Amino acid sequence: MSDLFDDPVPGENSPEFSVTELSGAIKRVIEGEFGHVRIRGEVGRVSTPRSGHVYLDLKDDRSVISGVIWKGVAGRLATKPEEGMEVIATGRITTFGGQSKYQIVIEDIRPAGMGALMAMLEKRKAALQAEGLFDPARKKKLPYLPEIIGVVTSPSGAVIRDILHRLRDRFPRKVLIWPVAVQGAACAPEVAKAIRGFNAMTPGGALPRPDLLIVARGGGSIEDLWGFNEEVVARAAAESAIPLISAVGHETDTTLIDFVSDLRAPTPTAAAEHAVPVRMELLSWVGDAQARLSHALTSRLDRNGQRLRDLARALPRPEALLDSPRQRFDAQSDRLPAALIRSVQVRRVALSDVAGSLRPSLLRRAIEGERRRLSVLGPRLAPALSRSTLNRRTGLEALSARLTPRPIRSEVAQQHRALADLTRRLSEAQARRVDEAKARLDGLDRVRETLGHRATLARGYAIVRGDDKVITSTAAAADAAGLEIEFSDGRFKIGGAGTKTKRSKPKPPEQGSLF
């Protein structure tokens, strides 16, 4: 019989599985055996595709296991995994049949102790410093006296009360508060959103943009302050066009926002002190400066007056300046009659000498010579005059051909335009002056209405008069013969000898009076 049947091959009767069935069986065994586990290891390769899922490797000195963080879980993680970080991952072990490998689906991941957090912080700090975000040259100068201060902090903590109290003591300013979470997973995105939101406000708008930002939080552990170590917060602070003061934690606490901010304050109270000066000290300084200025002006005027008096004493008297010229005038006046007589005598002698040489024959010969010369020049006069007239006529005709009224018309038109422009500017200036005067008059009238007692009467008050004076006490009211009560709509008289109770309309205020 043994020859009729062959011996069976080992495993020949085992059931056959498809690849998918075997992969599913292995998956069920592994997931049922391990379930949720916690793994401690170093993060290796980290990949974040467009889908938003995170793929990474967890390794130690001998083994590597693949891990995946689905998109929904990755968005809720407080700590983002980075290569080289030592972490503790919590999740479930499963298999991926498409590549015949097992992996852990991570549901939570945390740094493995303080050392890992500090190592990650130092790595992130070095990367931001290499980009120049810590460069002192890029830090902005804080405004000396900001009009509006934006505060990014929790609205329910003691920090905001300390800041507001300190600002109120030093120099009250307008404060805009952007409430945020100051710890936990929501801290970093909310703080970054608040900084960018303040920067996106319109200057001078309905909700004006602050002139200074303060990011503040009280003290705590490094885990509590970790939101201010996130890269998104540091970059938002570095991009802020508004000067920013960081006041996170106590004086010994340091976060990444402290390095990129324009000023680091050790405490939130110190941040308020850096934000505004002391109002009383500023007023005292202004008073001292005003006193010094007044003293300097007074001293300068005194010195100039004294110098003027000294120079006046050094100048000679006007009478002394005229003494010498007056004496010279008197001396010359005394010598003038004799000098005139001598001059007449000298001229008479000279005339006598000349008259002796004059003869009628000499005059006749001179006249005859001049007549002959005139007879020679007379015939030449008419041709010369004709030639001169012709030359001048030719010159005038040439000049008249060159003269045209066009330049004159152009200059006249230009002057007309200039005159029209001046007239327009004068009208506009006059209109502006009139508008300014009207606006000022309206403002003064509003001030008069505001400061007048009738505005007070309109709010429900009244004035009591008696015996032509204002009554301010019950004793004076009892002694008065009659009372007159003035309301906003008129006066009401009560009692009085020979008078009846009556109402009267209020008297209009006198012209030019504020009350």
Side-chain angles (χ1 to χ4, degrees):
M1 293 296 292
S2 61
D3 295 336
L4 296 176
F5 299 98
D6 294 332
D7 295 330
V9 178
E12 184 177 359
N13 293 329
S14 300
E16 294 180 353
F17 295 96
S18 66
V19 175
T20 302
E21 290 174 344
L22 183 58
S23 177
I26 296 173
K27 180 181 181 70
R28 287 191 295 273
V29 170
I30 291 178
E31 291 180 352
E33 181 66 23
F34 292 97
H36 280 76
V37 296
R38 299 177 73 231
I39 302 177
R40 183 188 184 108
E42 180 182 341
V43 178
R45 173 190 57 84
V46 179
S47 175
T48 306
R50 294 183 179 179
S51 61
H53 309 314
V54 179
Y55 298 94
L56 52 84
D57 291 336
L58 295 175
K59 60 183 180 179
D60 55 16
D61 56 346
R62 290 180 294 180
S63 302
V64 177
I65 183 173
S66 299
V68 60
I69 306 175
W70 303 125
K71 177 181 179 180
V73 178
R76 298 193 303 267
L77 290 178
T79 302
K80 305 299 181 183
E82 299 180 6
E83 188 173 351
M85 183 192 308
E86 186 176 3
V87 298
I88 298 177
T90 303
R92 51 187 179 84
I93 300 295
T94 184
T95 62
F96 180 50
Q99 296 181 0
S100 297
K101 67 177 184 180
Y102 63 93
Q103 61 186 9
I104 177 172
V105 179
I106 298 174
E107 298 174 355
D108 186 27
I109 189 168
R110 297 179 182 275
M114 188 67 67
L117 282 176
M118 296 308 297
M120 182 175 62
L121 179 60
E122 290 300 324
K123 180 180 178 182
R124 188 175 294 167
K125 178 180 175 182
L128 295 178
Q129 186 173 11
E131 295 182 21
L133 298 186
F134 300 167
D135 187 4
R138 58 164 295 278
K139 296 184 181 295
K140 295 174 286 295
K141 184 178 180 181
L142 302 183
Y144 179 71
L145 185 60
E147 288 292 334
I148 301 173
I149 300 175
V151 180
V152 179
T153 188
S154 173
S156 59
V159 171
I160 187 60
R161 292 194 297 271
D162 293 342
I163 292 176
L164 295 177
H165 178 73
R166 197 58 176 162
L167 290 176
R168 186 167 55 251
D169 289 344
R170 290 175 66 87
F171 206 122
R173 298 280 86 185
K174 296 178 182 178
V175 178
L176 294 179
I177 303 174
W178 195 301
V180 297
V182 293
Q183 70 180 49
C187 173
E190 289 187 5
V191 171
K193 182 180 179 182
I195 295 174
R196 292 191 173 101
F198 273 133
N199 278 270
M201 291 182 177
T202 303
L207 192 62
R209 190 174 77 167
D211 304 312
L212 180 67
L213 296 183
I214 298 177
V215 179
R217 187 207 186 280
S221 63
I222 187 173
E223 290 84 0
D224 296 336
L225 303 179
W226 191 254
F228 299 93
N229 286 319
E230 294 292 345
E231 183 176 351
V232 63
V233 174
R235 292 192 180 277
E239 295 168 0
S240 174
I242 306 173
L244 187 144
I245 300 176
S246 64
V248 178
H250 297 301
E251 187 171 359
T252 56
D253 298 324
T254 303
T255 56
L256 281 183
I257 193 175
D258 296 330
F259 294 99
V260 299
S261 62
D262 298 301
L263 178 67
R264 176 187 180 266
T267 61
T269 303
E273 293 176 355
H274 286 295
V276 294
V278 180
R279 184 173 183 270
M280 296 308 299
E281 292 179 358
L282 187 60
L283 292 176
S284 176
W285 179 86
V286 171
D288 293 342
Q290 184 177 5
R292 290 198 302 270
L293 178 60
S294 300
H295 178 70
L297 289 175
T298 304
S299 301
R300 183 66 178 272
L301 291 175
D302 292 342
R303 287 197 302 271
N304 290 343
Q306 184 62 39
R307 181 172 177 80
L308 180 61
R309 289 189 292 272
D310 294 341
L311 292 175
R313 285 194 297 269
L315 292 174
R317 292 179 294 106
E319 296 81 2
L321 292 175
L322 294 176
D323 287 345
S324 179
R326 185 183 294 114
Q327 187 175 1
R328 288 197 304 271
F329 178 75
D330 293 340
Q332 297 294 335
S333 299
D334 294 340
R335 295 169 58 188
L336 181 61
L340 288 174
I341 294 172
R342 283 195 301 271
S343 176
V344 170
Q345 291 175 352
V346 170
R347 291 179 183 274
R348 183 180 290 115
V349 171
L351 182 60
S352 300
D353 294 340
V354 173
S357 62
L358 291 176
R359 299 289 186 272
S361 59
L362 294 176
L363 290 174
R364 283 193 294 270
R365 284 195 298 270
I367 292 173
E368 186 65 26
E370 291 296 329
R371 184 180 288 112
R372 286 194 298 270
R373 192 170 66 88
L374 182 61
S375 63
V376 173
L377 294 176
R380 297 168 54 188
L381 178 61
L385 288 176
S386 299
R387 287 194 300 270
S388 176
T389 302
L390 181 60
N391 293 335
R392 289 180 179 275
R393 182 181 292 110
T394 304
L396 288 176
E397 290 175 354
L399 288 176
S400 63
R402 293 169 54 190
L403 291 176
T404 60
R406 185 179 303 166
I408 299 176
R409 293 196 188 98
S410 176
E411 184 176 0
V412 169
Q414 184 177 359
Q415 294 298 330
H416 274 298
R417 289 194 295 271
L419 179 61
D421 183 60
L422 289 176
T423 304
R424 179 185 56 79
R425 290 168 57 190
L426 178 61
S427 300
E428 293 177 354
Q430 183 178 5
R432 286 196 298 272
R433 291 291 298 272
V434 170
D435 292 341
E436 292 175 359
K438 287 182 178 178
R440 184 178 179 186
L441 183 60
D442 293 341
L444 291 175
D445 187 65
R446 287 193 296 272
V447 172
R448 180 185 66 79
E449 291 293 339
T450 303
L451 298 180
H453 71 283
R454 300 198 179 281
T456 305
L457 295 178
R459 295 197 297 270
Y461 292 88
I463 299 175
V464 180
R465 294 185 177 87
D467 298 336
D468 296 331
K469 62 181 180 180
V470 177
I471 301 299
T472 59
S473 63
T474 56
D479 295 338
L483 299 180
E484 183 183 52
I485 303 176
E486 181 179 355
F487 297 96
S488 61
D489 58 346
R491 297 188 180 186
F492 186 80
K493 290 186 178 181
I494 302 175
T499 61
K500 296 182 179 181
T501 300
K502 63 178 182 178
R503 293 178 57 187
S504 61
K505 294 185 179 179
K507 298 180 180 179
E510 297 180 0
Q511 184 68 24
S513 175
L514 292 178
F515 300 94

